[in-house]
Amino acid sequence: MKPLLPVLSCLVVPEIFFTLLIATRPSFILRLLGSLALVYTTYYVAATYTTGDVARDWAIGSALGTQPFSAVILLWLTDPMKEFRYTSDPKPTPLGEKRSLGSRLYKALCILLNLRFVGLNVQLRHIPQAFQGTRSQFIQSRIFRILQCLLLIDLGQSFIYTHAEFFLQGTSAFPSGLHGHILHFVCQLSWVACAYAGLKLLYTITSLTCVSIGSPLLAGSPEQWPDMFGSWSDAYTVRRTWGRVWHQSLSRYCSTLGKVAALSSGGCPGSFFSSQIQVWVAFTISGIIHSFGDLMIGPQFTGRSIPFFLMNAAAITFEDSIFAVTRKMGLAGQTRISRVIGYTWVLMWFNYSLPTFYTWTLEAGLGKDEMLPFSLVRLLVPQRVKH
């Protein structure tokens, strides 16, 4: 049995250490030693400790898995104190230019926490448009969104809680035939709803808190909190689903290193070869990051997330190949029918591939712990089966 995770020493201290490395930009040897220390700490914490909850282990382990890649980008490929600027400044200057150590430490911490580089000259592409409205309108909209997320989580959890078949997915005991296919689809929908609404809820609560306080030191402006997820209307290809609809919290690692790999391999920017190098590197990195979550759940599960991400890289390569052929045939361009075909393809693809991502976690007990302390849905709707 793993010991409980000591948050201060295993999560807070490494973050402070990383912040110090970014702010001070020490010599090559010290940066190398610091980077190795971060990598070792990431592995050690994920392999040694638990939070006592499978879902939290998976989430924290995956978050820890970003640390080595973040170190590569922020300590080796860029110098944030010299190269990063806030575009909203009247006269944008490097973050560390003529600033005290305390100011540089604050800026470095902001960079670490700003996963999408919002407001910087290196802001990631395809981030949803910034909120247009007053602070009070932002607060009202976020309160309403929190209620939406709570309801969506409650609906998803209520289905899981009242259908023991959910935990039979991937086994011979799961129902077969048409009933089994429909049930399988609804099980996946419930799981996605909980994951989607859970991530959105945490982000919304954080943004609501910061904007309500209104301090510039805490990203208190509504414009600094664009939506975490894009519009589902963009999900008519697998590439767009990942690149525009789903959250972009990992894009600064996956996209940045994918582009570096493409350039290093001699790929011409914009070419099919360059595009595929970026796709495969990005999804491989995402798989590795999630593998730290697998490891934190248990060493026997390490790497179980990787096949799902490689499958999606293959799906995007397939899509891109089809589009390349249709363009040569003069069939390029979107129509209502092509959109419908696209939505159908994406739905079928994730219905096929998603089980490889989460059904193995059912063995570890994921999904059995309630996400909410109460259920309004189960209070109003009679329960069928209790697992």
Side-chain angles (χ1 to χ4, degrees):
M1 184 67 180
K2 289 183 176 181
L4 286 177
L5 175 71
V7 175
L8 180 62
S9 60
C10 290
L11 298 184
V12 177
V13 171
E15 198 78 355
I16 293 173
F17 177 66
F18 197 177
T19 300
L20 186 63
L21 290 175
I22 296 172
T24 60
R25 194 71 175 187
S27 65
F28 175 89
I29 294 298
L30 290 179
R31 266 187 294 140
L32 179 60
L33 293 175
S35 299
L36 293 175
L38 288 172
V39 172
Y40 173 77
T41 300
T42 296
Y43 172 79
Y44 176 79
V45 173
T48 306
Y49 296 106
T50 179
T51 63
D53 178 86
V54 177
R56 280 198 297 269
D57 281 350
W58 204 17
I60 291 177
S62 297
L64 286 169
T66 65
Q67 202 86 304
F69 300 103
S70 191
V72 171
I73 294 169
L74 299 176
L75 296 180
W76 298 99
L77 297 182
T78 63
D79 184 350
M81 293 295 102
K82 292 181 178 179
E83 299 173 21
F84 291 7
R85 298 166 176 80
Y86 283 112
T87 56
S88 60
D89 289 345
K91 294 182 179 180
T93 56
L95 299 184
E97 186 175 283
K98 298 179 181 179
R99 299 182 188 272
S100 65
L101 176 60
S103 177
R104 292 201 305 274
L105 287 170
Y106 167 74
K107 298 292 185 183
L109 181 60
C110 289
I111 290 170
L112 281 179
L113 299 179
N114 187 356
L115 299 180
R116 298 178 293 175
F117 295 142
V118 174
L120 293 166
N121 59 318
V122 290
Q123 177 174 304
L124 300 180
R125 297 173 60 198
H126 307 314
I127 292 177
Q129 185 179 6
F131 181 82
Q132 303 295 316
T134 64
R135 176 174 276 103
S136 62
Q137 289 173 333
F138 180 89
I139 292 172
Q140 291 172 17
S141 69
R142 268 42 191 179
I143 291 174
F144 181 66
R145 180 167 292 176
I146 287 173
L147 295 176
Q148 289 178 316
C149 291
L150 290 172
L151 177 59
L152 192 54
I153 291 172
D154 197 4
L155 288 169
Q157 284 275 281
S158 294
F159 177 85
I160 294 171
Y161 186 84
T162 57
H163 291 75
E165 299 94 332
F166 180 88
F167 295 94
L168 299 178
Q169 293 179 85
T171 71
S172 58
F174 192 81
S176 58
L178 179 61
H179 170 67
H181 285 294
I182 295 174
L183 182 61
H184 178 66
F185 176 77
V186 180
C187 284
Q188 291 190 68
L189 194 62
S190 299
W191 187 87
V192 171
C194 290
Y196 169 78
L199 290 169
K200 198 170 185 178
L201 178 64
L202 291 174
Y203 180 82
T204 305
I205 290 174
T206 304
S207 67
L208 175 62
T209 302
C210 292
V211 173
S212 297
I213 295 172
S215 171
L217 296 177
L218 296 175
S221 172
E223 293 78 16
Q224 294 174 283
W225 296 95
D227 287 346
M228 186 178 195
F229 294 88
S231 171
W232 287 100
S233 63
D234 277 327
Y236 53 87
T237 68
V238 175
R239 178 187 280 275
R240 292 179 72 92
T241 301
W242 283 111
R244 296 174 184 262
V245 180
W246 201 243
H247 71 82
Q248 301 299 301
S249 300
L250 302 183
S251 287
R252 82 174 182 189
Y253 321 107
C254 303
S255 178
T256 301
L257 295 175
K259 291 177 181 178
V260 170
L263 289 173
S264 300
S265 62
C268 179
S271 68
F272 182 86
F273 175 75
S274 174
S275 173
Q276 297 314 304
I277 290 291
Q278 291 179 54
V279 166
W280 282 90
V281 169
F283 277 92
T284 298
I285 289 173
S286 188
I288 294 172
I289 287 172
H290 285 84
S291 288
F292 282 92
D294 306 345
L295 173 63
M296 196 159 183
I297 292 176
Q300 69 273 30
F301 299 114
T302 304
R304 294 290 293 272
S305 293
I306 291 179
F308 171 73
F309 292 99
L310 297 183
M311 287 171 65
N312 277 272
I316 292 175
T317 297
F318 170 74
E319 282 182 348
D320 290 350
S321 300
I322 295 297
F323 293 148
V325 171
T326 56
R327 279 194 296 271
K328 288 184 178 180
M329 296 173 61
L331 300 177
Q334 294 181 16
T335 64
R336 184 173 296 180
I337 293 177
S338 68
R339 282 286 188 99
V340 172
I341 293 173
Y343 290 131
T344 304
W345 147 248
V346 170
L347 197 62
M348 292 175 61
W349 168 254
F350 283 107
N351 184 58
Y352 168 74
S353 65
L354 195 58
T356 62
F357 184 56
Y358 80 91
T359 51
W360 64 267
T361 65
L362 303 180
E363 305 171 28
L366 188 69
K368 292 185 178 179
D369 294 321
E370 295 280 355
M371 295 176 67
L372 302 176
F374 65 91
S375 171
L376 183 61
V377 171
R378 273 168 270 163
L379 182 65
L380 299 176
V381 180
Q383 296 183 24
R384 184 179 72 93
V385 177
K386 184 175 180 180
H387 65 69

